[in-house]
Amino acid sequence: MSGQLLPCNPQEIGSLFLFEKLSPEQLGRLCAGGRVEGFEPGPVYTEGEPATCFYVMIEGTVVLSRRVGADDVEVTRTSQPGVYAGAMQAYLGDRVRQVYNNSMRVTEPTRFFVVPADTFASIMREWFPMAVHLLEGLFFGSKNTQRMIGQRERLLALGSLSAGLTHELNNPAAAAVRATSTLRERVAKMRHKLSIIASGPFPREQLAHLIEIQDRTAELVAKAPTLSPLEAADREDALTDWLDDHGIPDGWRLAPTFVQAGLDIDWLDQVAAAVDEEILPGAVGWLNYTVETELLMDEIEDSTTRISHLVDAAKQYSQLDRAPYRMADVHELLDSTLLMLSGKIGQQIKVVKDYDHTLPKVPAYPAELNQVWTNLIDNAVSAINSAGGDGTLTVRTALDHDRMLVEFRDTGPGVPPEIRNRIFDPFFTTKPVGEGTGLGLDISWRIVVNKHHGSLQVESVPGDTRFQVLLPLTATDDETAPEESA
């Protein structure tokens, strides 16, 4: 937006703190290369437009704002003469995309000293070559440092995450190996016991009844109820007494297995009624092996299912073979991230999922959102651990007007007020190198705000810290249509 052209007074320009050390000749050069413009209340330039001018306020009031999702958030309001904005990095040339990083408007008639970006760049290089070199080094050095530290810490975080996943996979894998070895032993003993029974002078009808009981027993094991410790102890005592009364050796060893399988005295009475007294000990022993094999097979199934879920979670987390931008179920992304971090979260921290499953899918870059979830969950876990390790992490989703709210709430000590305004700054962290995700809240903020056109904010008091991510439910005009997930 152009304003009204006004006369340029070198002495007035020299009174501004930015130019107070310049010589009269330099001030004359500025007036010759720039101009004074007056603006009525309204916008001066808009965030994202090509940065064509450098603005220095002479008098008036300016308001700077940043675009956050669908809202313009005010970041600065001032009436101090000499404040500047606009093409402040013009001296970097086309090595950096020259766009306005914020929007500027004025709330009263305001005068600016305006310098075209190319003029500002050439003056900077001519008058302050050493300063330009230092600024260039600071700018690009910071970028390189941030990239290198980010890569290093991401590798460390990836190693930590991989170690946690390996540990999670190792537990069910080791359980499956142990169960398979024990199962092989029990099946061998069951074959041996059956051969002893079959070689004895027992009527065919009794053997048929025994096989029928075996089949029913396998069905009962699959439907075993969950008992309280007291109920299980009482049933073990009753079964032990029954086995002792019927001359079954080592009844105290058999009873816990039968209780775990959901078997009771009625089942033992059926076995006793189906076979003669002399075959009863062998029959009960054989059926015990049947029960053990069923329980072992259940354990193997549970272990392998757990492994499958972990592999699926890892695939979901990394978004392998998925479109980078697509309609995504945020709850699936949250669940996969929580599962990937379950080893780090540990047993002391209670995880509460307060999901609104009526919410629709959202247009997103799922792999990058998973990185945001990882960072926010990791921060919450660290906060809870710093307060003793006992606490609650609540992950909540809800509809907030026309956006989806994803909230991470922890019961840690909170974010101190003195750093609350800095937590989204680049490089800012309270963790030692090698701890955390290596992302930093500034990158999380950029993923949410710049890439997903949402917002990321924090509310914190001791015992109740909430990081809130708001995501639009529909794609913006500048995004290509997202692919539907399979």
PDB file of all heavy atoms in Angstrom, residues 6-36:
ATOM      1  N   LEU A   6       5.638  13.013   1.023  1.00  0.00           N
ATOM      2  CA  LEU A   6       5.869  14.238   1.776  1.00  0.00           C
ATOM      3  C   LEU A   6       7.339  14.638   1.651  1.00  0.00           C
ATOM      4  O   LEU A   6       8.189  13.811   1.288  1.00  0.00           O
ATOM      5  CB  LEU A   6       5.502  14.020   3.252  1.00  0.00           C
ATOM      6  CG  LEU A   6       4.046  13.608   3.533  1.00  0.00           C
ATOM      7  CD1 LEU A   6       3.887  13.204   4.998  1.00  0.00           C
ATOM      8  CD2 LEU A   6       3.100  14.746   3.191  1.00  0.00           C
ATOM      9  N   PRO A   7       7.680  15.887   1.960  1.00  0.00           N
ATOM     10  CA  PRO A   7       9.097  16.318   1.871  1.00  0.00           C
ATOM     11  C   PRO A   7       9.967  15.553   2.864  1.00  0.00           C
ATOM     12  O   PRO A   7       9.539  15.203   3.966  1.00  0.00           O
ATOM     13  CB  PRO A   7       9.036  17.805   2.222  1.00  0.00           C
ATOM     14  CG  PRO A   7       7.617  18.208   2.003  1.00  0.00           C
ATOM     15  CD  PRO A   7       6.785  17.000   2.310  1.00  0.00           C
ATOM     16  N   CYS A   8      11.211  15.298   2.457  1.00  0.00           N
ATOM     17  CA  CYS A   8      12.175  14.595   3.312  1.00  0.00           C
ATOM     18  C   CYS A   8      13.147  15.621   3.886  1.00  0.00           C
ATOM     19  O   CYS A   8      13.872  16.294   3.138  1.00  0.00           O
ATOM     20  CB  CYS A   8      12.920  13.535   2.521  1.00  0.00           C
ATOM     21  SG  CYS A   8      14.145  12.620   3.497  1.00  0.00           S
ATOM     22  N   ASN A   9      13.173  15.740   5.199  1.00  0.00           N
ATOM     23  CA  ASN A   9      14.059  16.677   5.892  1.00  0.00           C
ATOM     24  C   ASN A   9      15.211  15.889   6.500  1.00  0.00           C
ATOM     25  O   ASN A   9      15.014  15.101   7.423  1.00  0.00           O
ATOM     26  CB  ASN A   9      13.278  17.408   6.985  1.00  0.00           C
ATOM     27  CG  ASN A   9      14.111  18.458   7.689  1.00  0.00           C
ATOM     28  OD1 ASN A   9      15.345  18.431   7.648  1.00  0.00           O
ATOM     29  ND2 ASN A   9      13.443  19.390   8.347  1.00  0.00           N
ATOM     30  N   PRO A  10      16.467  16.077   5.995  1.00  0.00           N
ATOM     31  CA  PRO A  10      17.603  15.310   6.526  1.00  0.00           C
ATOM     32  C   PRO A  10      17.781  15.473   8.027  1.00  0.00           C
ATOM     33  O   PRO A  10      18.157  14.518   8.719  1.00  0.00           O
ATOM     34  CB  PRO A  10      18.805  15.867   5.753  1.00  0.00           C
ATOM     35  CG  PRO A  10      18.221  16.380   4.480  1.00  0.00           C
ATOM     36  CD  PRO A  10      16.878  16.919   4.845  1.00  0.00           C
ATOM     37  N   GLN A  11      17.516  16.691   8.550  1.00  0.00           N
ATOM     38  CA  GLN A  11      17.685  16.881   9.985  1.00  0.00           C
ATOM     39  C   GLN A  11      16.676  16.040  10.775  1.00  0.00           C
ATOM     40  O   GLN A  11      16.988  15.468  11.824  1.00  0.00           O
ATOM     41  CB  GLN A  11      17.516  18.368  10.332  1.00  0.00           C
ATOM     42  CG  GLN A  11      18.665  19.245   9.852  1.00  0.00           C
ATOM     43  CD  GLN A  11      18.499  20.696  10.290  1.00  0.00           C
ATOM     44  OE1 GLN A  11      17.385  21.158  10.557  1.00  0.00           O
ATOM     45  NE2 GLN A  11      19.612  21.422  10.359  1.00  0.00           N
ATOM     46  N   GLU A  12      15.440  15.939  10.277  1.00  0.00           N
ATOM     47  CA  GLU A  12      14.421  15.132  10.960  1.00  0.00           C
ATOM     48  C   GLU A  12      14.793  13.658  10.905  1.00  0.00           C
ATOM     49  O   GLU A  12      14.661  12.942  11.903  1.00  0.00           O
ATOM     50  CB  GLU A  12      13.053  15.362  10.323  1.00  0.00           C
ATOM     51  CG  GLU A  12      11.926  14.624  11.042  1.00  0.00           C
ATOM     52  CD  GLU A  12      10.572  14.895  10.420  1.00  0.00           C
ATOM     53  OE1 GLU A  12      10.468  14.841   9.169  1.00  0.00           O
ATOM     54  OE2 GLU A  12       9.607  15.155  11.174  1.00  0.00           O
ATOM     55  N   ILE A  13      15.301  13.224   9.749  1.00  0.00           N
ATOM     56  CA  ILE A  13      15.719  11.828   9.618  1.00  0.00           C
ATOM     57  C   ILE A  13      16.884  11.551  10.572  1.00  0.00           C
ATOM     58  O   ILE A  13      16.958  10.515  11.223  1.00  0.00           O
ATOM     59  CB  ILE A  13      16.124  11.516   8.163  1.00  0.00           C
ATOM     60  CG1 ILE A  13      14.948  11.747   7.210  1.00  0.00           C
ATOM     61  CG2 ILE A  13      16.634  10.084   8.039  1.00  0.00           C
ATOM     62  CD1 ILE A  13      13.718  10.952   7.528  1.00  0.00           C
ATOM     63  N   GLY A  14      17.807  12.515  10.706  1.00  0.00           N
ATOM     64  CA  GLY A  14      18.960  12.338  11.575  1.00  0.00           C
ATOM     65  C   GLY A  14      18.604  12.305  13.044  1.00  0.00           C
ATOM     66  O   GLY A  14      19.414  11.855  13.870  1.00  0.00           O
ATOM     67  N   SER A  15      17.401  12.779  13.400  1.00  0.00           N
ATOM     68  CA  SER A  15      16.991  12.756  14.811  1.00  0.00           C
ATOM     69  C   SER A  15      16.524  11.372  15.250  1.00  0.00           C
ATOM     70  O   SER A  15      16.376  11.129  16.454  1.00  0.00           O
ATOM     71  CB  SER A  15      15.867  13.774  15.050  1.00  0.00           C
ATOM     72  OG  SER A  15      14.676  13.362  14.390  1.00  0.00           O
ATOM     73  N   LEU A  16      16.293  10.481  14.311  1.00  0.00           N
ATOM     74  CA  LEU A  16      15.850   9.124  14.649  1.00  0.00           C
ATOM     75  C   LEU A  16      17.055   8.309  15.114  1.00  0.00           C
ATOM     76  O   LEU A  16      18.154   8.423  14.549  1.00  0.00           O
ATOM     77  CB  LEU A  16      15.199   8.460  13.434  1.00  0.00           C
ATOM     78  CG  LEU A  16      13.995   9.223  12.836  1.00  0.00           C
ATOM     79  CD1 LEU A  16      13.507   8.532  11.564  1.00  0.00           C
ATOM     80  CD2 LEU A  16      12.872   9.345  13.860  1.00  0.00           C
ATOM     81  N   PHE A  17      16.877   7.491  16.144  1.00  0.00           N
ATOM     82  CA  PHE A  17      18.025   6.814  16.772  1.00  0.00           C
ATOM     83  C   PHE A  17      18.762   5.907  15.794  1.00  0.00           C
ATOM     84  O   PHE A  17      19.956   5.671  15.938  1.00  0.00           O
ATOM     85  CB  PHE A  17      17.575   6.014  18.002  1.00  0.00           C
ATOM     86  CG  PHE A  17      16.673   4.839  17.711  1.00  0.00           C
ATOM     87  CD1 PHE A  17      17.184   3.609  17.319  1.00  0.00           C
ATOM     88  CD2 PHE A  17      15.299   4.971  17.855  1.00  0.00           C
ATOM     89  CE1 PHE A  17      16.360   2.537  17.085  1.00  0.00           C
ATOM     90  CE2 PHE A  17      14.459   3.900  17.617  1.00  0.00           C
ATOM     91  CZ  PHE A  17      14.986   2.670  17.222  1.00  0.00           C
ATOM     92  N   LEU A  18      18.085   5.418  14.769  1.00  0.00           N
ATOM     93  CA  LEU A  18      18.742   4.527  13.813  1.00  0.00           C
ATOM     94  C   LEU A  18      19.779   5.277  12.978  1.00  0.00           C
ATOM     95  O   LEU A  18      20.784   4.694  12.547  1.00  0.00           O
ATOM     96  CB  LEU A  18      17.689   3.888  12.908  1.00  0.00           C
ATOM     97  CG  LEU A  18      18.124   2.688  12.061  1.00  0.00           C
ATOM     98  CD1 LEU A  18      18.545   1.522  12.945  1.00  0.00           C
ATOM     99  CD2 LEU A  18      16.996   2.241  11.137  1.00  0.00           C
ATOM    100  N   PHE A  19      19.560   6.574  12.737  1.00  0.00           N
ATOM    101  CA  PHE A  19      20.428   7.337  11.832  1.00  0.00           C
ATOM    102  C   PHE A  19      21.205   8.443  12.539  1.00  0.00           C
ATOM    103  O   PHE A  19      21.845   9.276  11.882  1.00  0.00           O
ATOM    104  CB  PHE A  19      19.576   7.981  10.718  1.00  0.00           C
ATOM    105  CG  PHE A  19      18.715   7.019   9.976  1.00  0.00           C
ATOM    106  CD1 PHE A  19      17.336   7.218   9.868  1.00  0.00           C
ATOM    107  CD2 PHE A  19      19.267   5.885   9.373  1.00  0.00           C
ATOM    108  CE1 PHE A  19      16.543   6.327   9.169  1.00  0.00           C
ATOM    109  CE2 PHE A  19      18.471   4.997   8.674  1.00  0.00           C
ATOM    110  CZ  PHE A  19      17.098   5.210   8.571  1.00  0.00           C
ATOM    111  N   GLU A  20      21.200   8.507  13.880  1.00  0.00           N
ATOM    112  CA  GLU A  20      21.756   9.647  14.600  1.00  0.00           C
ATOM    113  C   GLU A  20      23.273   9.769  14.458  1.00  0.00           C
ATOM    114  O   GLU A  20      23.828  10.850  14.693  1.00  0.00           O
ATOM    115  CB  GLU A  20      21.372   9.558  16.081  1.00  0.00           C
ATOM    116  CG  GLU A  20      21.895   8.319  16.778  1.00  0.00           C
ATOM    117  CD  GLU A  20      21.386   8.221  18.211  1.00  0.00           C
ATOM    118  OE1 GLU A  20      20.644   9.130  18.638  1.00  0.00           O
ATOM    119  OE2 GLU A  20      21.725   7.238  18.907  1.00  0.00           O
ATOM    120  N   LYS A  21      23.972   8.728  14.073  1.00  0.00           N
ATOM    121  CA  LYS A  21      25.427   8.789  13.938  1.00  0.00           C
ATOM    122  C   LYS A  21      25.883   9.061  12.502  1.00  0.00           C
ATOM    123  O   LYS A  21      27.077   9.064  12.218  1.00  0.00           O
ATOM    124  CB  LYS A  21      26.050   7.481  14.413  1.00  0.00           C
ATOM    125  CG  LYS A  21      25.796   7.150  15.875  1.00  0.00           C
ATOM    126  CD  LYS A  21      26.413   8.176  16.818  1.00  0.00           C
ATOM    127  CE  LYS A  21      26.208   7.791  18.264  1.00  0.00           C
ATOM    128  NZ  LYS A  21      26.785   8.803  19.191  1.00  0.00           N
ATOM    129  N   LEU A  22      24.931   9.260  11.587  1.00  0.00           N
ATOM    130  CA  LEU A  22      25.296   9.470  10.183  1.00  0.00           C
ATOM    131  C   LEU A  22      25.724  10.925   9.942  1.00  0.00           C
ATOM    132  O   LEU A  22      25.276  11.846  10.638  1.00  0.00           O
ATOM    133  CB  LEU A  22      24.119   9.115   9.273  1.00  0.00           C
ATOM    134  CG  LEU A  22      23.634   7.658   9.314  1.00  0.00           C
ATOM    135  CD1 LEU A  22      22.513   7.450   8.303  1.00  0.00           C
ATOM    136  CD2 LEU A  22      24.776   6.674   9.045  1.00  0.00           C
ATOM    137  N   SER A  23      26.569  11.093   8.952  1.00  0.00           N
ATOM    138  CA  SER A  23      27.044  12.440   8.583  1.00  0.00           C
ATOM    139  C   SER A  23      25.969  13.146   7.759  1.00  0.00           C
ATOM    140  O   SER A  23      25.049  12.508   7.224  1.00  0.00           O
ATOM    141  CB  SER A  23      28.329  12.321   7.757  1.00  0.00           C
ATOM    142  OG  SER A  23      28.046  11.709   6.510  1.00  0.00           O
ATOM    143  N   PRO A  24      26.073  14.493   7.635  1.00  0.00           N
ATOM    144  CA  PRO A  24      25.101  15.222   6.798  1.00  0.00           C
ATOM    145  C   PRO A  24      25.070  14.685   5.369  1.00  0.00           C
ATOM    146  O   PRO A  24      24.000  14.635   4.750  1.00  0.00           O
ATOM    147  CB  PRO A  24      25.599  16.669   6.861  1.00  0.00           C
ATOM    148  CG  PRO A  24      26.325  16.763   8.180  1.00  0.00           C
ATOM    149  CD  PRO A  24      26.979  15.422   8.354  1.00  0.00           C
ATOM    150  N   GLU A  25      26.241  14.313   4.833  1.00  0.00           N
ATOM    151  CA  GLU A  25      26.263  13.776   3.473  1.00  0.00           C
ATOM    152  C   GLU A  25      25.481  12.467   3.392  1.00  0.00           C
ATOM    153  O   GLU A  25      24.733  12.220   2.424  1.00  0.00           O
ATOM    154  CB  GLU A  25      27.706  13.543   3.011  1.00  0.00           C
ATOM    155  CG  GLU A  25      28.529  14.802   2.796  1.00  0.00           C
ATOM    156  CD  GLU A  25      29.007  15.410   4.124  1.00  0.00           C
ATOM    157  OE1 GLU A  25      28.894  14.720   5.172  1.00  0.00           O
ATOM    158  OE2 GLU A  25      29.476  16.573   4.110  1.00  0.00           O
ATOM    159  N   GLN A  26      25.655  11.625   4.403  1.00  0.00           N
ATOM    160  CA  GLN A  26      24.936  10.345   4.397  1.00  0.00           C
ATOM    161  C   GLN A  26      23.431  10.561   4.551  1.00  0.00           C
ATOM    162  O   GLN A  26      22.635   9.891   3.891  1.00  0.00           O
ATOM    163  CB  GLN A  26      25.462   9.445   5.521  1.00  0.00           C
ATOM    164  CG  GLN A  26      26.870   8.905   5.271  1.00  0.00           C
ATOM    165  CD  GLN A  26      27.414   8.132   6.457  1.00  0.00           C
ATOM    166  OE1 GLN A  26      27.231   8.543   7.607  1.00  0.00           O
ATOM    167  NE2 GLN A  26      28.117   7.042   6.177  1.00  0.00           N
ATOM    168  N   LEU A  27      23.039  11.518   5.389  1.00  0.00           N
ATOM    169  CA  LEU A  27      21.616  11.810   5.540  1.00  0.00           C
ATOM    170  C   LEU A  27      21.025  12.341   4.237  1.00  0.00           C
ATOM    171  O   LEU A  27      19.889  12.012   3.865  1.00  0.00           O
ATOM    172  CB  LEU A  27      21.393  12.817   6.675  1.00  0.00           C
ATOM    173  CG  LEU A  27      21.705  12.316   8.095  1.00  0.00           C
ATOM    174  CD1 LEU A  27      21.612  13.462   9.102  1.00  0.00           C
ATOM    175  CD2 LEU A  27      20.737  11.188   8.474  1.00  0.00           C
ATOM    176  N   GLY A  28      21.828  13.158   3.535  1.00  0.00           N
ATOM    177  CA  GLY A  28      21.371  13.638   2.236  1.00  0.00           C
ATOM    178  C   GLY A  28      21.192  12.502   1.251  1.00  0.00           C
ATOM    179  O   GLY A  28      20.236  12.486   0.465  1.00  0.00           O
ATOM    180  N   ARG A  29      22.138  11.551   1.292  1.00  0.00           N
ATOM    181  CA  ARG A  29      22.023  10.385   0.408  1.00  0.00           C
ATOM    182  C   ARG A  29      20.769   9.585   0.726  1.00  0.00           C
ATOM    183  O   ARG A  29      20.076   9.097  -0.177  1.00  0.00           O
ATOM    184  CB  ARG A  29      23.282   9.521   0.586  1.00  0.00           C
ATOM    185  CG  ARG A  29      23.187   8.120  -0.014  1.00  0.00           C
ATOM    186  CD  ARG A  29      23.538   8.085  -1.484  1.00  0.00           C
ATOM    187  NE  ARG A  29      23.455   6.723  -1.997  1.00  0.00           N
ATOM    188  CZ  ARG A  29      24.438   5.829  -1.921  1.00  0.00           C
ATOM    189  NH1 ARG A  29      25.602   6.166  -1.359  1.00  0.00           N
ATOM    190  NH2 ARG A  29      24.289   4.629  -2.428  1.00  0.00           N
ATOM    191  N   LEU A  30      20.476   9.427   2.018  1.00  0.00           N
ATOM    192  CA  LEU A  30      19.267   8.692   2.406  1.00  0.00           C
ATOM    193  C   LEU A  30      18.016   9.387   1.872  1.00  0.00           C
ATOM    194  O   LEU A  30      17.120   8.750   1.316  1.00  0.00           O
ATOM    195  CB  LEU A  30      19.171   8.569   3.931  1.00  0.00           C
ATOM    196  CG  LEU A  30      19.980   7.464   4.602  1.00  0.00           C
ATOM    197  CD1 LEU A  30      19.825   7.551   6.114  1.00  0.00           C
ATOM    198  CD2 LEU A  30      19.529   6.092   4.107  1.00  0.00           C
ATOM    199  N   CYS A  31      17.948  10.709   2.053  1.00  0.00           N
ATOM    200  CA  CYS A  31      16.778  11.439   1.580  1.00  0.00           C
ATOM    201  C   CYS A  31      16.645  11.352   0.060  1.00  0.00           C
ATOM    202  O   CYS A  31      15.535  11.309  -0.482  1.00  0.00           O
ATOM    203  CB  CYS A  31      16.841  12.908   2.013  1.00  0.00           C
ATOM    204  SG  CYS A  31      16.060  13.218   3.619  1.00  0.00           S
ATOM    205  N   ALA A  32      17.797  11.333  -0.609  1.00  0.00           N
ATOM    206  CA  ALA A  32      17.756  11.236  -2.072  1.00  0.00           C
ATOM    207  C   ALA A  32      17.304   9.851  -2.525  1.00  0.00           C
ATOM    208  O   ALA A  32      16.596   9.715  -3.534  1.00  0.00           O
ATOM    209  CB  ALA A  32      19.140  11.547  -2.654  1.00  0.00           C
ATOM    210  N   GLY A  33      17.720   8.795  -1.784  1.00  0.00           N
ATOM    211  CA  GLY A  33      17.362   7.431  -2.192  1.00  0.00           C
ATOM    212  C   GLY A  33      16.048   6.953  -1.629  1.00  0.00           C
ATOM    213  O   GLY A  33      15.445   6.021  -2.161  1.00  0.00           O
ATOM    214  N   GLY A  34      15.590   7.594  -0.540  1.00  0.00           N
ATOM    215  CA  GLY A  34      14.332   7.184   0.074  1.00  0.00           C
ATOM    216  C   GLY A  34      13.280   8.257  -0.076  1.00  0.00           C
ATOM    217  O   GLY A  34      13.406   9.189  -0.878  1.00  0.00           O
ATOM    218  N   ARG A  35      12.242   8.154   0.746  1.00  0.00           N
ATOM    219  CA  ARG A  35      11.145   9.108   0.662  1.00  0.00           C
ATOM    220  C   ARG A  35      10.394   9.096   1.992  1.00  0.00           C
ATOM    221  O   ARG A  35      10.490   8.150   2.767  1.00  0.00           O
ATOM    222  CB  ARG A  35      10.196   8.742  -0.476  1.00  0.00           C
ATOM    223  CG  ARG A  35       9.561   7.363  -0.323  1.00  0.00           C
ATOM    224  CD  ARG A  35       8.766   6.966  -1.568  1.00  0.00           C
ATOM    225  NE  ARG A  35       8.128   5.660  -1.425  1.00  0.00           N
ATOM    226  CZ  ARG A  35       8.685   4.495  -1.728  1.00  0.00           C
ATOM    227  NH1 ARG A  35       9.935   4.471  -2.199  1.00  0.00           N
ATOM    228  NH2 ARG A  35       8.009   3.372  -1.568  1.00  0.00           N
ATOM    229  N   VAL A  36       9.656  10.152   2.252  1.00  0.00           N
ATOM    230  CA  VAL A  36       8.777  10.211   3.410  1.00  0.00           C
ATOM    231  C   VAL A  36       7.352  10.021   2.918  1.00  0.00           C
ATOM    232  O   VAL A  36       6.924  10.678   1.950  1.00  0.00           O
ATOM    233  CB  VAL A  36       8.920  11.550   4.161  1.00  0.00           C
ATOM    234  CG1 VAL A  36       7.881  11.640   5.284  1.00  0.00           C
ATOM    235  CG2 VAL A  36      10.325  11.685   4.738  1.00  0.00           C
TER     236      VAL A  36
END
